[in-house]
Amino acid sequence: MHHFQNVPPICAPADWTPRIDQLLSDIWYLLAPGQRSSFQITDIKEKRGGLRLYWYLQADVTNELGDKIDALIDQASDELQLQRP
């Protein structure tokens, strides 16, 4: 289960929940402890068959960290798309 507070409702197929929880945990462990409280997820949804997770980090975020977070989201979306008939 993920560690973030105030995660918005997930508007995606119910069978995606375990993978989304894993994604949120992966992001949690990628962030430095001081960044975790300022990381905000603004939306999680299915759109055109893929996962969309929109986020915002109030603390300084490097391009490298942003790219890593986006890569985790893209990987999860790709995996979930492969599961759909």
Side-chain angles (χ1 to χ4, degrees):
M1 183 61 70
H2 61 84
H3 306 279
F4 294 107
Q5 301 295 319
N6 301 321
V7 174
I10 298 171
C11 298
D15 61 334
W16 287 17
T17 301
R19 184 60 182 98
I20 292 170
D21 282 342
Q22 180 61 52
L23 170 61
L24 295 178
S25 290
D26 293 344
I27 293 171
W28 176 265
Y29 289 112
L30 184 63
L31 297 170
Q35 294 172 317
R36 292 174 179 161
S37 63
S38 61
F39 185 83
Q40 295 180 356
I41 299 166
T42 59
D43 199 9
I44 303 173
K45 63 184 174 184
E46 180 273 333
K47 185 173 181 181
R48 297 185 181 149
L51 174 68
R52 302 294 186 267
L53 187 147
Y54 300 98
W55 60 274
Y56 176 75
L57 184 59
Q58 294 174 345
D60 290 332
V61 59
T62 63
N63 287 340
E64 181 181 356
L65 177 59
D67 290 346
K68 287 180 180 179
I69 293 170
D70 289 339
L72 288 173
I73 296 166
D74 290 344
Q75 179 183 0
S77 182
D78 290 346
E79 291 172 12
L80 290 167
Q81 284 180 329
L82 289 175
Q83 291 179 0
R84 301 311 281 177

